[in-house]
Amino acid sequence: MTLATSPLSVLIVDDEAPARSRLRDLLGDLAETQPTRIAGMAGNGLEALSFLEHERVDVVLTDIKMPVMDGIELARHLGRFPQAPGVVFVTAYDEYAIQAFDLAAVDYLLKPARAQRLGEALAKARRQRPPAESVLRQASPQARTHFSVSERGRILLVPVADVIYLKAEQKYVVARTAQREYLLDESLVQLEEEFSARYLRIHRNCLVARDAVQGVARSVVGEEGEAHWVILLDALPDQLPISRRQWPGVKEALGL
C-alpha cells in the first residue's frame, strides 16, 4: 500500500450517536479508495481532547454545535498540538462560517454527509494544514471555555472559569487559579478582546476576573512610597495594583 493510500487514523466527534454511526459507515464504504482506521469516537470537544492525550490521530471529523465544548474550540486547541491532526467539520453551519473555514484550508461537509464528499475531504486532509487561529476566532466569536497550556510535552486544558487573573510577563501570560499558575503562549490584548465579559483590565499587564474581586484598598509601598489602589481577591491573598490610567474604568465597572 503506497503512502498516498495508507490508512488515515480518524477520530469522529459528534454529540449525536446516529451521526457518529453514519460517519463510521461512510468511512467503511470508502475503504478501497480512502482507507481509514477509526481510532475512536467522542461526544464533544472535551471528550475528544481527553482521548487525544493518549492517542495521536491523522484526522478529526467533528460537528460544530455540541455541548460542553464545540467543534471550533476543539479545533483551536488542536492547533496547539505539536503534530496537529487535520480537521474536517461535518456541520449544518451557516454559509458565512463555511466560507471562513474554506479560506483557512479547513474542509467541511454539510449534513447529511455523502460518501463522495467525505472521500474528497479525506483526500484534502492528507495534505491539510491546521486551521488558522484567527479565522476560527472570527467564525466563532464567543469565548472559549478552556485555555490550552503546553506543559512537559502535553496539552493541558484549564477551565476559564477557574482563572482568577491573567498577567503578562515577558513573552508569556500567567494564568493564575486558586491552586497554581499556568503559562499561556497568547497575547493579553487578544485575551482581553475575547474575554471582555469576564475579565476587567486593571493595569497594562493585568486582567482580573470580575467575579473574583472582593474589593479595592489603598496601598503604600515603603515608608515614603506613593499610595495607590489595589484589587483585593476572594480566593487569593494577592493584591493587584490598579494603574492610574485604568482606575476610572475600574471604578465604573465595580460600581465604586
Side-chain angles (χ1 to χ4, degrees), residues 114-176:
R114 305 297 181 186
Q116 179 180 350
R117 187 66 186 89
L118 178 58
E120 294 170 358
L122 291 173
K124 184 176 180 181
R126 291 179 183 277
R127 56 185 185 275
Q128 179 175 309
R129 298 177 62 183
E133 163 71 13
S134 59
V135 176
L136 289 172
R137 189 167 59 246
Q138 177 188 14
S140 181
Q142 66 265 29
R144 289 166 284 171
T145 59
H146 293 73
F147 293 116
S148 303
V149 179
S150 300
E151 193 171 280
R152 299 185 181 91
R154 298 177 57 207
I155 300 295
L156 304 180
L157 291 179
V158 181
V160 172
D162 290 351
V163 175
I164 297 169
Y165 65 81
L166 298 160
K167 192 172 184 180
E169 292 188 3
Q170 297 180 348
K171 295 190 296 182
Y172 296 93
V173 171
V174 174
R176 184 69 162 93

Side-chain angles (χ1 to χ4, degrees), residues 210-221:
R210 298 168 190 265
D211 61 7
V213 176
Q214 184 182 69
V216 299
R218 294 285 277 175
S219 178
V220 179
V221 179

Side-chain angles (χ1 to χ4, degrees), residues 18-242:
R20 296 195 297 269
S21 297
R22 177 174 174 78
L23 285 175
R24 179 197 60 202
D25 294 344
L26 288 176
L27 290 173
D29 294 342
L30 292 166
E32 290 189 7
T33 57
Q34 290 294 338
T36 55
R37 176 182 68 85
I38 299 178
M41 297 189 184
N44 58 61
L46 201 57
E47 289 182 11
L49 289 169
S50 178
F51 176 87
L52 292 171
E53 284 186 3
H54 309 288
E55 183 165 352
R56 180 180 176 273
V57 302
D58 300 309
V59 181
V60 174
L61 300 178
T62 181
D63 192 8
I64 289 178
K65 294 186 177 180
M66 297 181 290
V68 186
M69 180 185 291
D70 66 24
I72 296 179
E73 181 170 353
L74 168 62
R76 293 178 70 175
H77 291 304
L78 291 177
R80 297 183 179 278
F81 277 46
Q83 292 180 298
V87 176
V88 176
F89 291 110
V90 185
T91 178
Y93 220 46
D94 63 75
E95 292 185 5
Y96 173 80
I98 290 172
Q99 291 170 1
F101 300 151
D102 200 36
L103 289 173
V106 180
D107 209 345
Y108 63 90
L109 308 178
L110 289 176
K111 291 183 175 182
R114 305 297 181 186
Q116 179 180 350
R117 187 66 186 89
L118 178 58
E120 294 170 358
L122 291 173
K124 184 176 180 181
R126 291 179 183 277
R127 56 185 185 275
Q128 179 175 309
R129 298 177 62 183
E133 163 71 13
S134 59
V135 176
L136 289 172
R137 189 167 59 246
Q138 177 188 14
S140 181
Q142 66 265 29
R144 289 166 284 171
T145 59
H146 293 73
F147 293 116
S148 303
V149 179
S150 300
E151 193 171 280
R152 299 185 181 91
R154 298 177 57 207
I155 300 295
L156 304 180
L157 291 179
V158 181
V160 172
D162 290 351
V163 175
I164 297 169
Y165 65 81
L166 298 160
K167 192 172 184 180
E169 292 188 3
Q170 297 180 348
K171 295 190 296 182
Y172 296 93
V173 171
V174 174
R176 184 69 162 93
T177 69
Q179 290 74 37
R180 55 165 290 189
E181 294 181 347
Y182 298 90
L183 295 183
L184 306 181
D185 187 14
E186 300 194 49
S187 159
L188 194 67
V189 172
Q190 290 181 347
L191 290 171
E192 180 184 20
E193 179 181 344
E194 182 176 357
F195 299 99
S196 59
R198 173 169 175 79
Y199 292 101
L200 172 66
R201 181 175 286 276
I202 63 169
H203 196 279
R204 62 179 175 80
N205 69 346
C206 188
L207 307 175
V208 64
R210 298 168 190 265
D211 61 7
V213 176
Q214 184 182 69
V216 299
R218 294 285 277 175
S219 178
V220 179
V221 179
E223 293 184 2
E224 299 182 0
E226 182 178 355
H228 62 278
W229 290 99
V230 296
I231 289 284
L232 304 178
L233 302 168
D234 284 326
L236 294 171
D238 308 39
Q239 295 187 358
L240 305 174
I242 306 170

